[in-house]
Amino acid sequence: MDTSLLFGTTTLAELLINATRRHGPKVAFVDDRGDVTYQALASRVSQAVAVFRKLGLTAGDTVAQLAGNRPETFVIMMACYVFGARSVALHPLGGEDDQSFVLADSKAKLVIADASHVDRVNHLRERNGGIKHWFSHGPTSGLDDFWSCARAEPISELEPHGEAEDIVRLAYTGGTTGQPKGVMLSNRSLVSYVTLALSGIDWPADVRLLCTTPITHAAGSLILPTLRSG
C-alpha cells in the first residue's frame, strides 16, 4: 500500500478531503438504501458543516450522536473533523445514566439521534436541559430532521480547519470502573493511526469493509484507512 500521499498531512480533515477528491466517483458507502459516492459524501459533509455554522457552533464545540450504522452517522463525524468540532458517540447499548453523564461531561452543544433511539433521546433531553440543539437522522416524531435542514444548504468545496494537536474526537471508555472516561484524540493521533494501518495491514487492491458492530466505536476506526484506500 502506497502511503506516500499521507506524508505532510497533519489533520484528519485533510486526509479525508483528499480521499474524496482522489476517489470522487467511486463508491464510499453502501447500505440498504443504495450507494454513496465519495463526491456525494463530500457534498453531504459540506451541507452538515453549513448547518453547524447556522446553529452557532464554533471550533472546539462537541457534537454527540446516538445512532446505529448508517452513512449519515459517519458524515456527521467527518463534518466534525472538517469543521474543527469534537465528535462524541453515545454507545447504542449504553445505559441512560452513562449516556447522560457523557453528554454533560463532554459539554455537548448538538445531539443527533436515529429513529430507533428517539425514546432514549427524549429522556436524555429532559435530563440535559442545557443542550440547545436536538435533531434526528431523518423524519422522526419530536425531533427536527437534521438532513432536511442540511439539504437546504448550498454545496461548497470542503476546506479543512484545525491544527495537528486539536482534539477532534472524545472516545468514552467502557472498560473502566465508575463513570466513563473521555479519551482525548487529536488530529495527529488519528492520522498516525491511519498511516500505521495502511502500512501495517496487507490491504487488498479492491477494499471492502463490512461493519457489523457500531461504527461510532471500534469498527469505525477501520473506515478511515478504508476510505483513504478508495
Side-chain angles (χ1 to χ4, degrees):
M1 177 66 65
D2 178 15
T3 61
S4 61
L5 292 179
L6 285 176
F7 299 144
T9 299
T10 59
T11 68
L12 199 53
E14 291 175 302
L15 186 150
L16 291 170
I17 291 171
N18 288 342
T20 63
R21 292 172 179 169
R22 287 186 68 202
H23 307 300
K26 296 181 69 175
V27 173
F29 288 95
V30 177
D31 69 2
D32 56 5
R33 294 167 296 164
D35 299 345
V36 179
T37 66
Y38 282 82
Q39 291 169 331
L41 173 63
S43 296
R44 294 184 189 184
V45 169
S46 165
Q47 291 173 311
V49 167
V51 175
F52 288 176
R53 292 197 177 99
K54 184 165 285 188
L55 294 175
L57 300 187
T58 59
D61 285 345
T62 297
V63 177
Q65 294 190 82
L66 178 54
N69 287 359
R70 54 191 299 147
E72 293 88 348
T73 303
F74 184 82
V75 171
I76 293 299
M77 295 169 72
M78 181 171 166
C80 289
Y81 306 145
V82 171
F83 182 70
R86 297 180 174 187
S87 174
V88 167
L90 302 179
H91 198 290
L93 299 180
E96 183 179 321
D97 288 344
D98 280 349
Q99 291 171 344
S100 182
F101 169 79
V102 169
L103 291 178
D105 186 68
S106 66
K107 298 179 175 60
K109 297 291 183 69
L110 165 64
V111 181
I112 307 174
D114 63 14
S116 61
H117 296 94
V118 168
D119 288 344
R120 171 60 60 83
V121 164
N122 285 331
H123 288 295
L124 293 173
R125 192 173 187 175
E126 293 175 359
R127 298 177 62 170
N128 294 269
I131 300 175
K132 184 177 180 180
H133 304 295
W134 299 79
F135 286 86
S136 60
H137 286 298
T140 286
S141 175
L143 294 173
D144 291 332
D145 178 7
F146 182 92
W147 297 106
S148 177
C149 299
R151 284 190 293 271
E153 298 296 328
I155 297 170
S156 59
E157 191 78 9
L158 291 180
E159 296 295 336
H161 297 277
E163 305 295 335
E165 299 305 328
D166 288 348
I167 305 302
V168 293
R169 179 167 168 76
L170 296 174
Y172 278 82
T173 62
T176 57
T177 57
Q179 294 174 314
K181 316 299 192 294
V183 179
M184 297 183 290
L185 298 174
S186 68
N187 273 311
R188 190 187 301 278
S189 66
L190 291 169
V191 170
S192 297
Y193 160 74
V194 176
T195 305
L196 291 170
L198 288 173
S199 61
I201 298 174
D202 186 16
W203 294 83
D206 190 19
V207 181
R208 295 289 186 274
L209 173 65
L210 175 64
C211 292
T212 59
T213 56
I215 65 171
T216 48
H217 290 71
S221 63
L222 281 174
I223 290 179
L224 301 175
T226 302
L227 283 178
R228 177 60 183 77
S229 302

